[in-house]
Amino acid sequence: MDYEAYFKNELDSVREEGRYRVFTDIKRHKGSFPHATRFVDDETRPVTVWCSNDYLGMGQHPDVIEAMHDCLEECGAGAGGTRNISGTNHYHVELERELADLHGKEAALLFTSGYVSNWAGLGTLANKIPDCVVFSDALNHASMIEGIRHSRAPYKIWKHNDPEDLDRLLSDFGPDVPKLVAFESVYSMDGDIAPIAEILDVCEKHGAMSYIDEVHAVGLYGPRGGGIAEREGLMDRITVIEGTLGKAFGVMGGYIAASSNLVDFVRSFASGFIFSTALPPAVAAGAAASIRHLKTSNKERETQKERVAQVRRRLDMLGIPHLDNPSHIIPVMVGDAKKCKMISDWLMDNHGIYVQPINYPTVPVGTERLRLTPSPVHSDDDIDRLVEALSEIWSQCELARMAVAA
């Protein structure tokens, strides 16, 4: 087999379909993000980032940076090993305590990313619990799907955000069959929110464990940033809450929070945890500082809500189509992979506006979009430039507009 020819042909096909992914080389500016510098060959250009998952700008918050600097001076750079072999730093222990407290759980466990926490958490539980059957929402994230597949446990896929369909599927299994229901709170591409209470009602009816991915909600919702489940007073009813430190908390890493026994079970059996070098202590210190700040400060959350509402209003005034949802995510719908990529490139090249195109396989073919994430650090001027540029390119591409309300 000509391996190189195969690789090239496959990549050429992706390019032809308009969904070849290109990394944008930027350098964030501390203190002035979302403004950044873009590197193109030997040139640099200013850009404004509109697609970051640093939803609240905590990646540049003074408390977070100070905590990381102090820890770096105190502990050095790396953890030095896996958690079991010299890699458990006191900052990891403190962070896990903060996370358990945030979600009202007995314990929490850190992972190197949200992807790994889902892969290891779901994979371990479904694999090690005898005869466990997993029930997965149809739009669950790739990390959850990989964890379920890795477990080799039997699984059923239930219709997205449909408790009745979940109830129907669970009814096929008797009370003696272990069951694990996996779903998300905020779905990152459409921005819709799960009916958590109704899903938990079904779980409890059938004696099923519940596993919720709150990665796009932690820090953003609830009086202390515990996510949608905290906002709705449901955390105590959920078996496992999974989250990330790499989005609203502004750093990196993933975690699960649950009972002491469940967390210890995953800690003891998850290969993705056991054999991974621990997060650098400075990262753990920064994440803990971010969580502590957002437990008591609503300023960032309230400002973000205002910015999201402002962008939505401006898009509506211009008839730019976007999915209506109750979250902070604004999917601007294009519906064509090549046009989506072209619009993204045009915004960057002509206006210094960075919005990444979202194409298949992240979203279904025909639903390609630009995913906007307004944050507290976007200014009125940033919003003006964004919506004016979008309106200009929408006209150039002769794309359909929504009816503008009188």
Side-chain angles (χ1 to χ4, degrees):
M1 179 178 184
D2 187 340
Y3 298 108
E4 289 300 317
Y6 171 77
F7 300 148
K8 182 179 183 302
N9 288 337
E10 289 297 302
L11 290 170
D12 287 345
S13 296
V14 174
R15 289 188 181 94
E16 177 62 28
E17 293 167 12
R19 57 185 184 91
Y20 180 75
R21 300 176 186 217
V22 178
F23 291 161
T24 301
D25 183 359
I26 64 170
K27 182 186 290 184
R28 289 159 54 110
H29 297 166
K30 184 191 76 170
S32 63
F33 188 75
H35 301 290
T37 296
R38 178 191 180 199
F39 292 80
V40 183
D41 299 325
D42 295 328
E43 298 180 5
T44 60
R45 302 172 189 172
V47 297
T48 302
V49 181
W50 274 99
C51 52
S52 174
N53 283 340
D54 186 357
Y55 292 131
L56 299 177
M58 292 302 294
Q60 62 181 348
H61 193 281
D63 290 357
V64 176
I65 294 171
E66 181 182 7
M68 295 184 74
H69 274 300
D70 289 348
C71 181
L72 193 62
E73 291 297 328
E74 182 182 0
C75 299
T82 64
R83 290 290 298 275
N84 188 51
I85 305 176
S86 82
T88 296
N89 188 283
H90 187 61
Y91 285 99
H92 298 126
V93 177
E94 288 186 337
L95 175 55
E96 287 173 339
R97 289 172 180 164
E98 289 286 351
L99 289 165
D101 173 75
L102 176 66
H103 293 294
K105 297 298 184 184
E106 294 176 345
L109 188 66
L110 285 172
F111 295 86
T112 51
S113 71
Y115 192 103
V116 175
S117 56
N118 270 333
W119 177 80
L122 279 169
T124 301
L125 290 170
N127 175 260
K128 299 297 290 185
I129 298 174
D131 303 317
C132 183
V133 180
V134 184
F135 299 81
S136 178
D137 184 284
L139 294 188
N140 274 344
H141 189 263
S143 58
M144 304 176 79
I145 295 168
E146 286 300 316
I148 294 166
R149 288 176 176 168
H150 176 71
S151 75
R152 298 183 180 177
Y155 63 89
K156 300 289 182 178
I157 298 174
W158 47 288
K159 296 176 184 177
H160 177 55
N161 280 349
D162 189 336
E164 291 184 2
D165 192 52
L166 174 62
D167 183 38
R168 179 184 64 81
L169 291 174
L170 282 165
S171 297
D172 291 336
F173 297 85
D176 295 332
V177 177
K179 309 169 193 70
L180 176 59
V181 174
F183 62 105
E184 302 180 40
S185 59
V186 177
Y187 287 83
S188 63
M189 288 301 120
D190 289 349
D192 54 333
I193 294 177
I196 301 175
E198 290 85 349
I199 292 170
L200 294 177
D201 288 343
V202 174
C203 291
E204 291 161 0
K205 172 184 175 182
H206 294 278
M209 295 183 295
S210 53
Y211 182 110
I212 189 170
D213 176 317
E214 288 253 42
V215 297
H216 292 277
V218 291
L220 297 164
Y221 301 92
R224 298 200 310 158
I228 300 294
E230 185 200 21
R231 186 187 73 179
E232 299 181 5
L234 298 169
M235 292 193 298
D236 61 313
R237 295 175 59 188
I238 299 171
T239 310
V240 182
I241 298 174
E242 185 268 346
T244 185
L245 305 169
K247 293 182 171 60
F249 292 129
V251 195
M252 71 168 291
Y255 64 89
I256 61 169
S259 69
S260 294
N261 283 332
L262 188 151
V263 167
D264 199 15
F265 180 86
V266 173
R267 183 189 70 88
S268 299
F269 291 107
S271 61
F273 174 82
I274 294 169
F275 298 106
S276 289
T277 298
L279 287 171
V283 171
S290 181
I291 293 165
R292 283 193 290 268
H293 176 82
L294 290 173
K295 281 179 178 178
T296 59
S297 174
N298 276 313
K299 177 183 177 182
E300 293 80 9
R301 288 187 281 272
E302 291 303 318
T303 307
Q304 189 214 32
K305 289 178 186 176
E306 294 170 4
R307 292 302 183 203
V308 170
Q310 186 177 354
V311 172
R312 287 189 187 279
R313 284 195 303 270
R314 296 290 300 277
L315 293 175
D316 287 341
M317 290 171 61
L318 294 169
I320 303 297
H322 59 95
L323 289 183
D324 186 21
N325 63 55
S327 77
H328 58 284
I329 296 166
I330 304 179
V332 174
M333 305 306 291
V334 179
D336 179 275
K338 292 182 179 179
K339 285 185 178 180
C340 198
K341 177 68 165 60
M342 185 271 288
I343 291 171
S344 174
D345 290 344
W346 184 91
L347 289 170
M348 180 76 90
D349 294 339
N350 290 277
H351 294 276
I353 291 171
Y354 177 22
V355 186
Q356 189 71 15
I358 307 296
N359 297 327
Y360 178 84
T362 306
V363 296
V365 172
T367 68
E368 293 81 5
R369 66 199 65 184
L370 304 171
R371 179 178 176 273
L372 301 178
T373 54
S375 75
V377 293
H378 285 102
S379 67
D380 290 340
D381 183 60
D382 293 332
I383 294 173
D384 287 342
R385 291 191 297 110
L386 170 71
V387 296
E388 289 167 7
L390 275 172
S391 184
E392 182 181 349
I393 189 61
W394 226 255
S395 295
Q396 287 186 27
C397 291
E398 299 182 338
L399 291 169
R401 299 191 185 231
M402 301 183 300
V404 179

